[in-house]
Amino acid sequence: MIGFALIIFIGSQLLALPAASSTGTRTAWIDALFTATSATCVTGLVTLDTGTHYSTFGQIVILLLIQIGGLGFMTMATLFAFFLKRRISLKERLILQESLNQSSIEGIVRLVRRVVFYALSIEAAGAILFTCRFLYDMSPGRAAYFGVFHAISFFNNAGFDLMGNFSGLTGYVGDPFVNIVTMLLIILGGLGFIVLSDLTDLRRSRRLSLHSKVVLGMTGILILFGAFVVFIFEYSNAYTMGNLGLGEKILAAFLQSVSPRTAGVNTLDLASLRQATQFFLVVLMFIGASPGSTGGGIKTTTYAALLGAVYAMIRGKEDVVLFRYRLSQERVYKALTVTLMALALVMIATMILSATEDHQFLEILFEVTSAFGTVGLSMGLTLQLTLAGKIIIILLMFIGRLGPLTMGYALGPKPGRVLYRHAEGKIIIG
């Protein structure tokens, strides 16, 4: 937690410098802090346009913050230790285990090497593909710069772009190449490095872990179902998809389904979406990506565990079973705790912002969920936030990236030894 806070503080100081601004003037510190938090927490919400307000120096600072935030503070610290040829201590291995959501420290350093290798390889491939496409629209140097920036931003599910005027990728709504490359980068970044490692070893091991099966299954279901819902609700909306061809509508529906999984990229004007679509995107943003990934939210595995628990209760079964494996009671409790803490956080923040900001309730709920899920999608509220509103969104992005449970562990009292157990009691449920 301290590591992330330190990176954000350093980033905010750099972004506040006159050299970081395209006009050569100092950026207000609260806006620099907001941008640094958004970049480090790979969110994408901005109070100033990245493409026009910041200079090349400022944009590179943002890019470095995205890379550090996406890989994780502990992963980057371990990477520096490799370069310095320093031995990784047991304590550091235990922290890495928690940082990467692993069940043991066995092979944790090897996994860190893989994380860095996968990230850099996928980002390099994305940068080459984007550069080839942008060569048709701009000079070679600018195309290469845009290609690298957007590949790193989209793979890390950050959602920052350089297109200018807060337009996102709306200019490429019908471009299949840009849409498909963007979606692949977002999905690969959101699956999690553990799943990518499993998929790489699939030819040798010939089996996937339960975690990978659940992540891949839930990701596929959410993307397909999300695209179907967006396509149905927005098909005839003249302000979004109504004037697009069938192929463009399908592309737009899929990208708007993939993006709320914490990426923050949009090809449609979100403020013009129907309210039903906007609320559905709130649900997708709340669920988020998968554990050990560059994304946020309560995570796909948490949602799967909750669905499994509901199904087991309805069927009158004691065990929660996924893919013929029984989940321990501890895992179900953890999923329930994460979800309730996240719900409470979103509800409290929405109530406070409803008092400080003069906007519609759905706009505020959308922005709050986007910040907590480190998504970065916005209906325009972020640009009009008051000082109090900016501070609340900054805190939400920070907590959302670390996870409410991690914050609870870090700030809460350490549990002592349990000396007794209470007698069992009964209450009526439902």
Side-chain angles (χ1 to χ4, degrees), residues 78-117:
T78 307
L79 185 62
F80 280 114
F82 289 155
F83 286 134
L84 297 173
K85 297 183 179 180
R86 189 174 67 82
R87 186 176 179 82
I88 310 299
S89 68
L90 177 61
K91 181 180 179 181
E92 289 165 341
R93 289 170 191 261
L94 288 168
I95 298 172
L96 274 171
Q97 175 195 337
E98 290 299 318
S99 175
L100 295 171
N101 287 288
Q102 293 295 285
S103 55
S104 72
I105 62 171
E106 183 183 358
I108 196 71
V109 175
R110 185 170 63 251
L111 179 60
V112 170
R113 289 196 185 98
R114 282 191 166 192
V115 165
V116 175
F117 174 75

mmCIF file of all heavy atoms in Angstrom, residues 78-117:
data_model
loop_
_atom_site.group_PDB
_atom_site.id
_atom_site.type_symbol
_atom_site.label_atom_id
_atom_site.label_comp_id
_atom_site.label_asym_id
_atom_site.label_seq_id
_atom_site.Cartn_x
_atom_site.Cartn_y
_atom_site.Cartn_z
ATOM 1 N N THR A 78 10.768 -6.492 -7.596
ATOM 2 C CA THR A 78 11.492 -7.745 -7.798
ATOM 3 C C THR A 78 12.321 -7.685 -9.077
ATOM 4 O O THR A 78 13.436 -8.202 -9.138
ATOM 5 C CB THR A 78 10.498 -8.931 -7.882
ATOM 6 O OG1 THR A 78 9.646 -8.895 -6.742
ATOM 7 C CG2 THR A 78 11.228 -10.254 -7.935
ATOM 8 N N LEU A 79 11.771 -7.030 -10.103
ATOM 9 C CA LEU A 79 12.492 -6.882 -11.367
ATOM 10 C C LEU A 79 13.790 -6.096 -11.163
ATOM 11 O O LEU A 79 14.844 -6.465 -11.680
ATOM 12 C CB LEU A 79 11.594 -6.173 -12.385
ATOM 13 C CG LEU A 79 12.140 -6.042 -13.817
ATOM 14 C CD1 LEU A 79 12.371 -7.408 -14.428
ATOM 15 C CD2 LEU A 79 11.176 -5.234 -14.667
ATOM 16 N N PHE A 80 13.718 -5.026 -10.380
ATOM 17 C CA PHE A 80 14.933 -4.261 -10.069
ATOM 18 C C PHE A 80 15.926 -5.105 -9.276
ATOM 19 O O PHE A 80 17.146 -4.996 -9.464
ATOM 20 C CB PHE A 80 14.572 -2.992 -9.287
ATOM 21 C CG PHE A 80 14.079 -1.870 -10.154
ATOM 22 C CD1 PHE A 80 12.774 -1.410 -10.069
ATOM 23 C CD2 PHE A 80 14.932 -1.257 -11.069
ATOM 24 C CE1 PHE A 80 12.317 -0.383 -10.864
ATOM 25 C CE2 PHE A 80 14.482 -0.220 -11.886
ATOM 26 C CZ PHE A 80 13.182 0.216 -11.782
ATOM 27 N N ALA A 81 15.412 -5.957 -8.390
ATOM 28 C CA ALA A 81 16.288 -6.842 -7.616
ATOM 29 C C ALA A 81 17.025 -7.812 -8.539
ATOM 30 O O ALA A 81 18.199 -8.137 -8.317
ATOM 31 C CB ALA A 81 15.475 -7.608 -6.581
ATOM 32 N N PHE A 82 16.337 -8.278 -9.591
ATOM 33 C CA PHE A 82 16.992 -9.159 -10.583
ATOM 34 C C PHE A 82 18.160 -8.435 -11.237
ATOM 35 O O PHE A 82 19.253 -8.979 -11.370
ATOM 36 C CB PHE A 82 15.991 -9.581 -11.672
ATOM 37 C CG PHE A 82 14.941 -10.552 -11.204
ATOM 38 C CD1 PHE A 82 13.715 -10.641 -11.857
ATOM 39 C CD2 PHE A 82 15.164 -11.382 -10.119
ATOM 40 C CE1 PHE A 82 12.740 -11.525 -11.442
ATOM 41 C CE2 PHE A 82 14.196 -12.275 -9.692
ATOM 42 C CZ PHE A 82 12.982 -12.341 -10.347
ATOM 43 N N PHE A 83 17.899 -7.188 -11.660
ATOM 44 C CA PHE A 83 18.943 -6.413 -12.345
ATOM 45 C C PHE A 83 20.146 -6.162 -11.436
ATOM 46 O O PHE A 83 21.282 -6.146 -11.877
ATOM 47 C CB PHE A 83 18.376 -5.077 -12.843
ATOM 48 C CG PHE A 83 17.482 -5.213 -14.046
ATOM 49 C CD1 PHE A 83 16.265 -4.556 -14.094
ATOM 50 C CD2 PHE A 83 17.854 -6.008 -15.122
ATOM 51 C CE1 PHE A 83 15.422 -4.682 -15.197
ATOM 52 C CE2 PHE A 83 17.031 -6.137 -16.237
ATOM 53 C CZ PHE A 83 15.813 -5.477 -16.278
ATOM 54 N N LEU A 84 19.850 -5.942 -10.145
ATOM 55 C CA LEU A 84 20.914 -5.684 -9.182
ATOM 56 C C LEU A 84 21.534 -6.969 -8.642
ATOM 57 O O LEU A 84 22.436 -6.926 -7.800
ATOM 58 C CB LEU A 84 20.369 -4.846 -8.013
ATOM 59 C CG LEU A 84 19.857 -3.444 -8.375
ATOM 60 C CD1 LEU A 84 19.188 -2.789 -7.164
ATOM 61 C CD2 LEU A 84 20.993 -2.567 -8.881
ATOM 62 N N LYS A 85 20.999 -8.131 -9.128
ATOM 63 C CA LYS A 85 21.476 -9.456 -8.704
ATOM 64 C C LYS A 85 21.393 -9.632 -7.189
ATOM 65 O O LYS A 85 22.283 -10.202 -6.559
ATOM 66 C CB LYS A 85 22.914 -9.682 -9.199
ATOM 67 C CG LYS A 85 23.036 -9.703 -10.717
ATOM 68 C CD LYS A 85 24.437 -9.999 -11.185
ATOM 69 C CE LYS A 85 24.488 -10.042 -12.717
ATOM 70 N NZ LYS A 85 25.854 -10.325 -13.221
ATOM 71 N N ARG A 86 20.280 -9.122 -6.632
ATOM 72 C CA ARG A 86 20.062 -9.247 -5.195
ATOM 73 C C ARG A 86 19.138 -10.419 -4.913
ATOM 74 O O ARG A 86 18.176 -10.663 -5.633
ATOM 75 C CB ARG A 86 19.440 -7.948 -4.647
ATOM 76 C CG ARG A 86 19.380 -7.894 -3.130
ATOM 77 C CD ARG A 86 18.894 -6.521 -2.668
ATOM 78 N NE ARG A 86 17.512 -6.283 -3.035
ATOM 79 C CZ ARG A 86 16.467 -6.738 -2.328
ATOM 80 N NH1 ARG A 86 16.650 -7.489 -1.261
ATOM 81 N NH2 ARG A 86 15.236 -6.460 -2.712
ATOM 82 N N ARG A 87 19.394 -11.137 -3.845
ATOM 83 C CA ARG A 87 18.601 -12.314 -3.484
ATOM 84 C C ARG A 87 17.231 -11.882 -2.953
ATOM 85 O O ARG A 87 17.131 -10.924 -2.186
ATOM 86 C CB ARG A 87 19.336 -13.140 -2.429
ATOM 87 C CG ARG A 87 18.651 -14.452 -2.091
ATOM 88 C CD ARG A 87 19.488 -15.251 -1.102
ATOM 89 N NE ARG A 87 18.829 -16.485 -0.753
ATOM 90 C CZ ARG A 87 18.861 -17.598 -1.475
ATOM 91 N NH1 ARG A 87 19.552 -17.603 -2.608
ATOM 92 N NH2 ARG A 87 18.236 -18.682 -1.099
ATOM 93 N N ILE A 88 16.181 -12.579 -3.360
ATOM 94 C CA ILE A 88 14.820 -12.287 -2.900
ATOM 95 C C ILE A 88 14.601 -13.001 -1.568
ATOM 96 O O ILE A 88 14.667 -14.236 -1.501
ATOM 97 C CB ILE A 88 13.761 -12.745 -3.921
ATOM 98 C CG1 ILE A 88 14.112 -12.240 -5.322
ATOM 99 C CG2 ILE A 88 12.375 -12.266 -3.505
ATOM 100 C CD1 ILE A 88 14.163 -10.753 -5.457
ATOM 101 N N SER A 89 14.350 -12.239 -0.506
ATOM 102 C CA SER A 89 14.199 -12.825 0.831
ATOM 103 C C SER A 89 12.863 -13.555 0.971
ATOM 104 O O SER A 89 11.957 -13.399 0.151
ATOM 105 C CB SER A 89 14.293 -11.734 1.896
ATOM 106 O OG SER A 89 13.165 -10.867 1.811
ATOM 107 N N LEU A 90 12.725 -14.326 2.048
ATOM 108 C CA LEU A 90 11.491 -15.073 2.312
ATOM 109 C C LEU A 90 10.323 -14.114 2.529
ATOM 110 O O LEU A 90 9.210 -14.354 2.028
ATOM 111 C CB LEU A 90 11.670 -15.972 3.538
ATOM 112 C CG LEU A 90 10.428 -16.761 3.982
ATOM 113 C CD1 LEU A 90 9.959 -17.701 2.878
ATOM 114 C CD2 LEU A 90 10.709 -17.538 5.263
ATOM 115 N N LYS A 91 10.584 -13.025 3.254
ATOM 116 C CA LYS A 91 9.523 -12.046 3.501
ATOM 117 C C LYS A 91 9.020 -11.458 2.182
ATOM 118 O O LYS A 91 7.809 -11.307 1.975
ATOM 119 C CB LYS A 91 10.052 -10.934 4.412
ATOM 120 C CG LYS A 91 9.005 -9.871 4.755
ATOM 121 C CD LYS A 91 9.593 -8.802 5.653
ATOM 122 C CE LYS A 91 8.535 -7.732 5.955
ATOM 123 N NZ LYS A 91 9.074 -6.655 6.820
ATOM 124 N N GLU A 92 9.950 -11.127 1.285
ATOM 125 C CA GLU A 92 9.577 -10.559 -0.016
ATOM 126 C C GLU A 92 8.809 -11.572 -0.851
ATOM 127 O O GLU A 92 7.880 -11.221 -1.578
ATOM 128 C CB GLU A 92 10.829 -10.081 -0.754
ATOM 129 C CG GLU A 92 11.442 -8.826 -0.136
ATOM 130 C CD GLU A 92 12.852 -8.558 -0.626
ATOM 131 O OE1 GLU A 92 13.496 -9.503 -1.141
ATOM 132 O OE2 GLU A 92 13.325 -7.420 -0.489
ATOM 133 N N ARG A 93 9.179 -12.841 -0.743
ATOM 134 C CA ARG A 93 8.450 -13.895 -1.466
ATOM 135 C C ARG A 93 7.020 -14.024 -0.947
ATOM 136 O O ARG A 93 6.086 -14.261 -1.721
ATOM 137 C CB ARG A 93 9.177 -15.232 -1.334
ATOM 138 C CG ARG A 93 10.492 -15.297 -2.116
ATOM 139 C CD ARG A 93 11.297 -16.530 -1.756
ATOM 140 N NE ARG A 93 12.648 -16.449 -2.297
ATOM 141 C CZ ARG A 93 13.048 -17.043 -3.424
ATOM 142 N NH1 ARG A 93 12.203 -17.761 -4.116
ATOM 143 N NH2 ARG A 93 14.294 -16.906 -3.851
ATOM 144 N N LEU A 94 6.845 -13.881 0.355
ATOM 145 C CA LEU A 94 5.504 -13.962 0.940
ATOM 146 C C LEU A 94 4.635 -12.785 0.484
ATOM 147 O O LEU A 94 3.447 -12.954 0.196
ATOM 148 C CB LEU A 94 5.598 -13.977 2.472
ATOM 149 C CG LEU A 94 6.140 -15.278 3.087
ATOM 150 C CD1 LEU A 94 6.466 -15.081 4.563
ATOM 151 C CD2 LEU A 94 5.136 -16.405 2.918
ATOM 152 N N ILE A 95 5.241 -11.587 0.410
ATOM 153 C CA ILE A 95 4.492 -10.419 -0.068
ATOM 154 C C ILE A 95 4.139 -10.586 -1.549
ATOM 155 O O ILE A 95 3.034 -10.253 -1.987
ATOM 156 C CB ILE A 95 5.298 -9.124 0.150
ATOM 157 C CG1 ILE A 95 5.557 -8.916 1.648
ATOM 158 C CG2 ILE A 95 4.546 -7.915 -0.401
ATOM 159 C CD1 ILE A 95 6.500 -7.766 1.954
ATOM 160 N N LEU A 96 5.077 -11.137 -2.322
ATOM 161 C CA LEU A 96 4.813 -11.418 -3.736
ATOM 162 C C LEU A 96 3.670 -12.417 -3.889
ATOM 163 O O LEU A 96 2.833 -12.302 -4.783
ATOM 164 C CB LEU A 96 6.075 -11.981 -4.407
ATOM 165 C CG LEU A 96 7.082 -10.970 -4.953
ATOM 166 C CD1 LEU A 96 8.351 -11.684 -5.386
ATOM 167 C CD2 LEU A 96 6.493 -10.189 -6.113
ATOM 168 N N GLN A 97 3.651 -13.405 -3.008
ATOM 169 C CA GLN A 97 2.586 -14.414 -3.045
ATOM 170 C C GLN A 97 1.221 -13.754 -2.894
ATOM 171 O O GLN A 97 0.280 -14.059 -3.638
ATOM 172 C CB GLN A 97 2.800 -15.425 -1.916
ATOM 173 C CG GLN A 97 1.679 -16.457 -1.786
ATOM 174 C CD GLN A 97 1.725 -17.197 -0.465
ATOM 175 O OE1 GLN A 97 2.780 -17.266 0.173
ATOM 176 N NE2 GLN A 97 0.615 -17.745 -0.039
ATOM 177 N N GLU A 98 1.104 -12.813 -1.938
ATOM 178 C CA GLU A 98 -0.160 -12.105 -1.741
ATOM 179 C C GLU A 98 -0.453 -11.161 -2.909
ATOM 180 O O GLU A 98 -1.583 -11.046 -3.359
ATOM 181 C CB GLU A 98 -0.103 -11.305 -0.433
ATOM 182 C CG GLU A 98 -0.100 -12.158 0.813
ATOM 183 C CD GLU A 98 -1.348 -13.012 0.931
ATOM 184 O OE1 GLU A 98 -2.453 -12.497 0.652
ATOM 185 O OE2 GLU A 98 -1.234 -14.197 1.264
ATOM 186 N N SER A 99 0.600 -10.499 -3.405
ATOM 187 C CA SER A 99 0.439 -9.543 -4.505
ATOM 188 C C SER A 99 -0.088 -10.209 -5.766
ATOM 189 O O SER A 99 -0.899 -9.642 -6.497
ATOM 190 C CB SER A 99 1.781 -8.868 -4.789
ATOM 191 O OG SER A 99 1.698 -8.025 -5.906
ATOM 192 N N LEU A 100 0.377 -11.445 -6.036
ATOM 193 C CA LEU A 100 -0.015 -12.166 -7.250
ATOM 194 C C LEU A 100 -1.136 -13.171 -7.004
ATOM 195 O O LEU A 100 -1.443 -13.989 -7.856
ATOM 196 C CB LEU A 100 1.206 -12.887 -7.840
ATOM 197 C CG LEU A 100 2.325 -11.964 -8.355
ATOM 198 C CD1 LEU A 100 3.564 -12.779 -8.711
ATOM 199 C CD2 LEU A 100 1.861 -11.160 -9.548
ATOM 200 N N ASN A 101 -1.723 -13.125 -5.792
ATOM 201 C CA ASN A 101 -2.848 -14.011 -5.450
ATOM 202 C C ASN A 101 -2.499 -15.483 -5.604
ATOM 203 O O ASN A 101 -3.303 -16.269 -6.137
ATOM 204 C CB ASN A 101 -4.082 -13.677 -6.305
ATOM 205 C CG ASN A 101 -4.742 -12.390 -5.895
ATOM 206 O OD1 ASN A 101 -5.383 -12.317 -4.850
ATOM 207 N ND2 ASN A 101 -4.557 -11.361 -6.698
ATOM 208 N N GLN A 102 -1.318 -15.874 -5.154
ATOM 209 C CA GLN A 102 -0.898 -17.266 -5.228
ATOM 210 C C GLN A 102 -1.149 -17.992 -3.906
ATOM 211 O O GLN A 102 -1.153 -17.376 -2.839
ATOM 212 C CB GLN A 102 0.593 -17.347 -5.585
ATOM 213 C CG GLN A 102 0.914 -16.867 -6.984
ATOM 214 C CD GLN A 102 0.277 -17.746 -8.047
ATOM 215 O OE1 GLN A 102 0.713 -18.847 -8.320
ATOM 216 N NE2 GLN A 102 -0.773 -17.232 -8.659
ATOM 217 N N SER A 103 -1.344 -19.320 -3.978
ATOM 218 C CA SER A 103 -1.637 -20.092 -2.774
ATOM 219 C C SER A 103 -0.372 -20.522 -2.036
ATOM 220 O O SER A 103 -0.431 -20.947 -0.887
ATOM 221 C CB SER A 103 -2.467 -21.336 -3.135
ATOM 222 O OG SER A 103 -1.792 -22.098 -4.127
ATOM 223 N N SER A 104 0.797 -20.454 -2.691
ATOM 224 C CA SER A 104 2.058 -20.811 -2.051
ATOM 225 C C SER A 104 3.186 -19.997 -2.669
ATOM 226 O O SER A 104 3.013 -19.355 -3.709
ATOM 227 C CB SER A 104 2.350 -22.309 -2.223
ATOM 228 O OG SER A 104 2.717 -22.600 -3.557
ATOM 229 N N ILE A 105 4.372 -20.030 -2.005
ATOM 230 C CA ILE A 105 5.514 -19.274 -2.519
ATOM 231 C C ILE A 105 6.347 -20.113 -3.486
ATOM 232 O O ILE A 105 7.317 -19.625 -4.042
ATOM 233 C CB ILE A 105 6.411 -18.768 -1.364
ATOM 234 C CG1 ILE A 105 7.005 -19.943 -0.575
ATOM 235 C CG2 ILE A 105 5.659 -17.805 -0.471
ATOM 236 C CD1 ILE A 105 8.063 -19.521 0.417
ATOM 237 N N GLU A 106 5.935 -21.354 -3.705
ATOM 238 C CA GLU A 106 6.684 -22.224 -4.614
ATOM 239 C C GLU A 106 6.644 -21.655 -6.043
ATOM 240 O O GLU A 106 5.582 -21.430 -6.604
ATOM 241 C CB GLU A 106 6.105 -23.639 -4.595
ATOM 242 C CG GLU A 106 6.878 -24.616 -5.467
ATOM 243 C CD GLU A 106 6.242 -26.001 -5.478
ATOM 244 O OE1 GLU A 106 5.227 -26.205 -4.790
ATOM 245 O OE2 GLU A 106 6.766 -26.871 -6.180
ATOM 246 N N GLY A 107 7.804 -21.433 -6.622
ATOM 247 C CA GLY A 107 7.896 -20.936 -7.994
ATOM 248 C C GLY A 107 7.456 -19.502 -8.170
ATOM 249 O O GLY A 107 7.213 -19.055 -9.301
ATOM 250 N N ILE A 108 7.380 -18.713 -7.070
ATOM 251 C CA ILE A 108 6.851 -17.356 -7.163
ATOM 252 C C ILE A 108 7.791 -16.429 -7.932
ATOM 253 O O ILE A 108 7.347 -15.579 -8.698
ATOM 254 C CB ILE A 108 6.559 -16.792 -5.750
ATOM 255 C CG1 ILE A 108 5.655 -15.559 -5.840
ATOM 256 C CG2 ILE A 108 7.838 -16.458 -4.992
ATOM 257 C CD1 ILE A 108 4.253 -15.838 -6.214
ATOM 258 N N VAL A 109 9.113 -16.615 -7.743
ATOM 259 C CA VAL A 109 10.078 -15.773 -8.454
ATOM 260 C C VAL A 109 10.064 -16.102 -9.946
ATOM 261 O O VAL A 109 10.151 -15.212 -10.796
ATOM 262 C CB VAL A 109 11.494 -15.950 -7.865
ATOM 263 C CG1 VAL A 109 12.517 -15.164 -8.677
ATOM 264 C CG2 VAL A 109 11.527 -15.490 -6.410
ATOM 265 N N ARG A 110 9.921 -17.383 -10.266
ATOM 266 C CA ARG A 110 9.833 -17.801 -11.670
ATOM 267 C C ARG A 110 8.582 -17.198 -12.317
ATOM 268 O O ARG A 110 8.606 -16.782 -13.481
ATOM 269 C CB ARG A 110 9.801 -19.323 -11.755
ATOM 270 C CG ARG A 110 9.831 -19.856 -13.199
ATOM 271 C CD ARG A 110 10.040 -21.362 -13.239
ATOM 272 N NE ARG A 110 8.949 -22.097 -12.608
ATOM 273 C CZ ARG A 110 9.043 -22.734 -11.451
ATOM 274 N NH1 ARG A 110 10.192 -22.698 -10.776
ATOM 275 N NH2 ARG A 110 8.027 -23.392 -10.934
ATOM 276 N N LEU A 111 7.480 -17.127 -11.541
ATOM 277 C CA LEU A 111 6.247 -16.538 -12.061
ATOM 278 C C LEU A 111 6.435 -15.050 -12.352
ATOM 279 O O LEU A 111 5.911 -14.537 -13.350
ATOM 280 C CB LEU A 111 5.097 -16.732 -11.064
ATOM 281 C CG LEU A 111 3.740 -16.133 -11.463
ATOM 282 C CD1 LEU A 111 3.240 -16.742 -12.767
ATOM 283 C CD2 LEU A 111 2.706 -16.319 -10.363
ATOM 284 N N VAL A 112 7.188 -14.351 -11.504
ATOM 285 C CA VAL A 112 7.448 -12.927 -11.726
ATOM 286 C C VAL A 112 8.178 -12.728 -13.048
ATOM 287 O O VAL A 112 7.855 -11.819 -13.826
ATOM 288 C CB VAL A 112 8.264 -12.328 -10.559
ATOM 289 C CG1 VAL A 112 8.750 -10.926 -10.901
ATOM 290 C CG2 VAL A 112 7.426 -12.283 -9.293
ATOM 291 N N ARG A 113 9.166 -13.585 -13.313
ATOM 292 C CA ARG A 113 9.889 -13.490 -14.588
ATOM 293 C C ARG A 113 8.928 -13.674 -15.757
ATOM 294 O O ARG A 113 9.008 -12.971 -16.769
ATOM 295 C CB ARG A 113 10.994 -14.553 -14.646
ATOM 296 C CG ARG A 113 12.172 -14.299 -13.711
ATOM 297 C CD ARG A 113 13.358 -15.159 -14.104
ATOM 298 N NE ARG A 113 14.474 -15.033 -13.177
ATOM 299 C CZ ARG A 113 14.734 -15.877 -12.202
ATOM 300 N NH1 ARG A 113 13.965 -16.933 -12.007
ATOM 301 N NH2 ARG A 113 15.766 -15.695 -11.403
ATOM 302 N N ARG A 114 8.026 -14.632 -15.598
ATOM 303 C CA ARG A 114 7.049 -14.889 -16.662
ATOM 304 C C ARG A 114 6.111 -13.703 -16.840
ATOM 305 O O ARG A 114 5.749 -13.343 -17.961
ATOM 306 C CB ARG A 114 6.233 -16.143 -16.335
ATOM 307 C CG ARG A 114 6.956 -17.445 -16.608
ATOM 308 C CD ARG A 114 5.990 -18.608 -16.506
ATOM 309 N NE ARG A 114 6.564 -19.818 -17.064
ATOM 310 C CZ ARG A 114 5.855 -20.912 -17.321
ATOM 311 N NH1 ARG A 114 4.556 -20.933 -17.075
ATOM 312 N NH2 ARG A 114 6.424 -21.978 -17.834
ATOM 313 N N VAL A 115 5.682 -13.116 -15.732
ATOM 314 C CA VAL A 115 4.781 -11.958 -15.785
ATOM 315 C C VAL A 115 5.393 -10.852 -16.632
ATOM 316 O O VAL A 115 4.748 -10.298 -17.531
ATOM 317 C CB VAL A 115 4.480 -11.437 -14.354
ATOM 318 C CG1 VAL A 115 3.873 -10.037 -14.404
ATOM 319 C CG2 VAL A 115 3.540 -12.382 -13.622
ATOM 320 N N VAL A 116 6.654 -10.532 -16.359
ATOM 321 C CA VAL A 116 7.345 -9.474 -17.087
ATOM 322 C C VAL A 116 7.513 -9.852 -18.563
ATOM 323 O O VAL A 116 7.281 -9.030 -19.459
ATOM 324 C CB VAL A 116 8.712 -9.176 -16.452
ATOM 325 C CG1 VAL A 116 9.485 -8.151 -17.277
ATOM 326 C CG2 VAL A 116 8.543 -8.688 -15.016
ATOM 327 N N PHE A 117 7.872 -11.111 -18.808
ATOM 328 C CA PHE A 117 8.070 -11.567 -20.191
ATOM 329 C C PHE A 117 6.770 -11.507 -20.981
ATOM 330 O O PHE A 117 6.745 -10.999 -22.113
ATOM 331 C CB PHE A 117 8.616 -12.999 -20.195
ATOM 332 C CG PHE A 117 8.721 -13.607 -21.570
ATOM 333 C CD1 PHE A 117 9.732 -13.217 -22.445
ATOM 334 C CD2 PHE A 117 7.793 -14.546 -21.999
ATOM 335 C CE1 PHE A 117 9.820 -13.766 -23.713
ATOM 336 C CE2 PHE A 117 7.871 -15.095 -23.272
ATOM 337 C CZ PHE A 117 8.893 -14.699 -24.135
#
